[in-house]
Amino acid sequence: MADIVREIERKYAATDETRLPDLTGVDRVAAVVARGVEHLDAVYYDTADQRLAGAGITLRRRTGGRDAGWHLKLPVAPEEGAGTEPGRTRDEVRAPLSDTPPPELTALVRARVLGRELVPVVRLRTRRTVRVLQDAAGAPLAEVAVDAVRAQRTAPAPAKRGGGPAQARWCEIEVELAGAGEGGAALLDAVGRALAAAGIRPAGAASKLARALADTETGTETGTAGGSGDAGRAPGGGKAGRAAGGQGRDAAVGTAGDIVLRYVREQVRVIVELDPAVRRELPDSVHRMRVATRRLRSAFRSYAKVLDRVVTDPLGVELRWLAGELGVARDREVLAARLRAGLAELPRPLRLGPVAARLRGWSRRSHRGARREVLATLDGARYLALLEALDALVDDPPLLKAAARPAPETLARAVRKDYRRLAGRVTAALAAPAGPVRDQALHSARKAAKRTRYAAEAAVPALGRPAETFVRRTKRVQQVLGDHQDSVVARAALRELAVQAHRAGEAGFTFGLLYGREEARAADRERELPDVWRQVSPAGLRARSGA
């Protein structure tokens, strides 16, 4: 089992002559304790086209120091409350030393490398002088490391043609929190101000690897001063980098193709970035990944006049499959939470028999089975083939003639078409007879509401506030329909649990009571729908587009 450490740090440029100021008295720092010198030797692994580096990910094998082993660093959100200085918050996943990259780490970057071989690209040898900042009780607050680094290419840079591996050297300062406790960002800010007062400026490169790749690409021996690494240029700007979120010329609002491609690239980026989070079972990761697959599939269907369906239809089939596989875990998670909440709302005298224990056992069994299925999906060849195809689409989008037209007109027309489809389904659902027929019709309307909402979301950069309003009101319709469908699913589960309880000789009263409450909840949603639906109108979109 790999260990995971949250790393929150800031980096500063230095030279051989740089001297740290006395940091005693900065924020909560009561003492600065020297911990000596460490000699670190790290080999960084990546694909030949640097797909990991392009995504801000590092995979290294390091010896020396207190944490020798394999380290995979995955970017996460910046620390909350951080100041203007550059900082990085990453999850470092660790595994013991071995000769080759361990499977538990390579699985977490599978969506990035897409079957390409991971090879050594850079070797960094570092002489690290460490000082520990302690509070009045002697507890460590942060570590300040002065690093003298020597970098050497172990594989030619992608742009190089022959020649031996280039080398580079530099000095830098790292300030890393000892933990992710309260006040960490304020401490980093205070230390940063003290360093700035001593003439020490933030580093330009985001990481040692980024600096090493930038400097050794040109073969520049940068010495101990700034050097090309301070430009902060991140490598890996090829196909992987663009798929990971680069927008290129699409950053400015322009044609229909510009807007749709921006939305498509964002959803591909989310899917790829969430892959390791789903594997690590981080909160809400399955749900967010599933939503991204649905948004992407909806974009392909809604904007079929912008992107060629010959290419996107097969991808849509695979995205539907992936959303379904992810849905096994997500739907059971949501259902279990709903049933637990319903049970908690009941007065204790109405909870007859071991209802809570039966529900917990059912939930655990469902979770274990769903978890296995999700991991099997992410490790399967079909999923990898889908990621390869999405990567190819982002690199060479199948744009049609309509992609060159002005975005407002083309996108508004597509949203209005989805609205008409949704309106037909809502009307049919409201007219359907109560019971399973209406339940199915409302579920069909819910799916149409999602598609319409996602189409409008994609169009917001071109259509502005009217699209935002339309998205908000359509989302409310989706929520009402979603709560109704969740009630339908919950009633089926409650009936199953009641049957199990009956067979075990237990009272089924409580499950029946919960079933009745779910029926009432669904009826409330059905009564609420007409008023919520009346608020949805594409009229503003028509006016904005000039149609």
Side-chain angles (χ1 to χ4, degrees), residues 408-487:
E409 176 184 351
T410 302
L411 273 57
R413 185 180 296 114
V415 175
R416 292 198 303 271
K417 180 179 179 181
D418 280 348
Y419 168 81
R420 290 191 295 271
R421 178 171 171 270
L422 169 60
R425 294 196 180 185
V426 171
T427 300
L430 293 174
V437 174
R438 182 182 295 174
D439 290 343
Q440 184 57 45
L442 289 170
H443 183 43
S444 178
R446 177 197 184 193
K447 291 188 285 187
K450 286 184 180 180
R451 174 171 163 177
T452 305
R453 170 193 163 193
Y454 295 153
E457 281 181 350
V460 164
L463 303 180
R465 190 178 300 277
E468 292 176 350
T469 301
F470 184 81
V471 168
R472 185 172 61 253
R473 293 176 178 175
T474 306
K475 182 179 180 181
R476 179 59 186 148
V477 171
Q478 177 189 330
Q479 289 171 335
V480 170
L481 293 169
D483 193 40
H484 183 278
Q485 176 62 17
D486 289 348
S487 175

Side-chain angles (χ1 to χ4, degrees), residues 9 55 79 95 120 172 194 201 216 222 253 259 336 341 473 479 484:
E9 67 178 17
E79 65 269 24
E172 66 180 40
R201 60 191 177 89
T216 61
T222 61
V253 174
I259 302 301
R473 293 176 178 175
Q479 289 171 335
H484 183 278

